[in-house]
Amino acid sequence: MEVLHRHSLASLHTFGLSVTASQVVTMRSVDELKALLSSDVTGTTPALVMGQGSNLLFCEDYNGTVILNRIMGIEVDETDVAYHLHVGAGENWHQLVCWTVEQEMPGLENLALIPGCAGSAPIQNIGAYGVELQDICEYVDVLERKSGDVVRLTADACRFGYRDSIFKHELKDSHIIVAVGLRLSKDWQPNTSYGPLANLDPATVTASDILAQVCATRQAKLPDPAVLGNAGSFFKNPVVSEHSYQKLAAEFPSVPCYPAAGGRFKLAAGWLIDQCGLKGHKVGGAAATPASRRQYIDKYRLL
């Protein structure tokens, strides 16, 4: 267990703001996490658990303990029909995606270059280009802060929704994700229905092709957080009624949309921002979308 006092958080979150925490503790195993929570190291202030800090905005120094979840490890159990992965919560998500494609276990390629750790994926029910975590999640292992017990929640118990889950609600402050279980079917069917992937031929496309296209698209749209602090793409695409969509489409025939549950329609938040003339709009030092972009540095590049 590594404990650092009055430690800078600038390199630990993607906005890169110059703030500090009273102390930062790095956890590399479930046993270390249990020991920490049962000790008085964290004091009376509830500890803040972080992965790679891609969804955090610190407005001031954090007067408490930050726990860095660095529980690593990938275990694979293969059956006749699927690969079952048990992934430590501290694993880098994009590196996990690239590794599965390298190992010829496709299914995650549409979710490439989403910043953060594997343990953060269920919280947000991350999704991109027609695929969401709930599509391939089998279970989530969580540690109950008070008792120290580790409990396995089925995917249904996680109550996944659009960028939502039980971890944003009832379990937000009481449980810590320590591992995620994923199921990747051996009967792989490429998902090329969304956005720029529609240009790929489903009959010949490979998981590597999809991974490359997703990475290229994200690199063209988003700045490198190592160059310009940001939290990636965090706008939720609004889901509207058919009446609202038809009304909008009558005025803007080219409005991009995708079918959603319940006969509703999902609109593209980026397109709406563009139409409002807000791309690059700034309030103080913050901007909705930077005016200039650079390619991701080598550590984010494709295989």
Side-chain angles (χ1 to χ4, degrees):
M1 184 188 305
E2 180 183 4
V3 182
L4 302 173
H5 299 280
R6 301 307 304 172
H7 189 67
S8 172
L9 297 174
S11 64
L12 300 176
H13 68 295
T14 57
F15 275 115
L17 301 177
S18 181
V19 293
T20 62
S22 297
Q23 58 183 1
V24 175
V25 185
T26 301
M27 295 288 99
R28 293 186 171 86
S29 71
V30 174
D31 287 340
E32 282 191 353
L33 182 56
K34 288 181 178 181
L36 173 66
L37 295 177
S38 64
S39 70
D40 59 358
V41 173
T42 61
T44 58
T45 304
L48 173 65
V49 180
M50 286 178 54
Q52 293 183 341
S54 58
N55 61 346
L56 293 174
L57 175 61
F58 290 95
C59 298
E60 58 186 6
D61 290 346
Y62 186 72
N63 186 27
T65 299
V66 168
I67 298 176
L68 296 182
N69 191 331
R70 297 296 182 261
I71 300 173
M72 310 298 282
I74 303 173
E75 301 174 9
V76 180
D77 181 24
E78 181 179 355
T79 65
D80 291 339
V81 296
Y83 299 100
H84 301 268
L85 279 61
H86 179 86
V87 184
E91 290 285 346
N92 177 280
W93 178 261
H94 176 63
Q95 291 176 9
L96 170 67
V97 173
C98 292
W99 182 81
T100 57
V101 173
E102 279 186 313
Q103 300 299 314
E104 299 183 351
M105 296 185 294
L108 299 181
E109 56 280 345
N110 292 57
L111 303 177
L113 273 184
I114 295 178
C117 292
S120 303
I123 300 173
Q124 187 80 346
N125 183 24
I126 60 172
Y129 301 104
V131 176
E132 292 187 328
L133 181 81
Q134 64 181 344
D135 300 328
I136 40 89
C137 182
E138 279 195 307
Y139 61 82
V140 177
D141 287 350
V142 294
L143 184 146
E144 205 277 327
R145 289 188 185 230
K146 288 186 177 180
S147 67
D149 294 335
V150 175
V151 179
R152 176 161 295 180
L153 302 179
T154 64
D156 287 341
C158 293
R159 296 217 313 266
F160 290 125
Y162 177 50
R163 304 299 171 268
D164 198 23
S165 71
I166 195 172
F167 308 109
K168 283 189 171 183
H169 303 284
E170 293 95 323
L171 305 188
K172 179 180 179 181
D173 298 316
S174 59
H175 291 70
I176 299 172
I177 296 174
V178 295
V180 179
L182 306 176
R183 181 187 185 277
L184 304 180
S185 174
K186 289 186 176 181
D187 182 23
W188 177 70
Q189 301 296 323
N191 190 326
T192 59
S193 61
Y194 202 98
L197 300 185
N199 297 323
L200 301 174
D201 184 354
T204 59
V205 71
T206 67
S208 294
D209 294 335
I210 295 175
L211 177 60
Q213 182 64 64
V214 170
C215 288
T217 302
R218 285 191 173 276
Q219 288 169 345
K221 289 183 176 182
L222 299 172
D224 174 9
V227 177
L228 182 63
N230 70 89
S233 176
F234 60 87
F235 292 103
K236 289 181 68 174
N237 292 323
V239 179
V240 300
S241 67
E242 182 178 3
H243 173 74
S244 296
Y245 164 67
Q246 295 294 350
K247 184 178 179 180
L248 185 62
E251 186 173 355
F252 302 95
S254 63
V255 55
C257 75
Y258 306 91
R264 294 162 68 82
F265 292 84
K266 182 187 294 185
L267 306 178
W271 183 89
L272 294 170
I273 292 170
D274 286 349
Q275 299 308 305
C276 294
L278 293 176
K279 178 180 284 188
H281 180 71
K282 292 185 177 182
V283 177
T289 303
S292 61
R293 303 178 177 91
R294 278 185 50 181
Q295 292 287 338
Y296 280 78
I297 54 178
D298 290 343
K299 69 178 180 179
Y300 289 122
R301 288 191 184 279
L302 192 55
L303 304 173

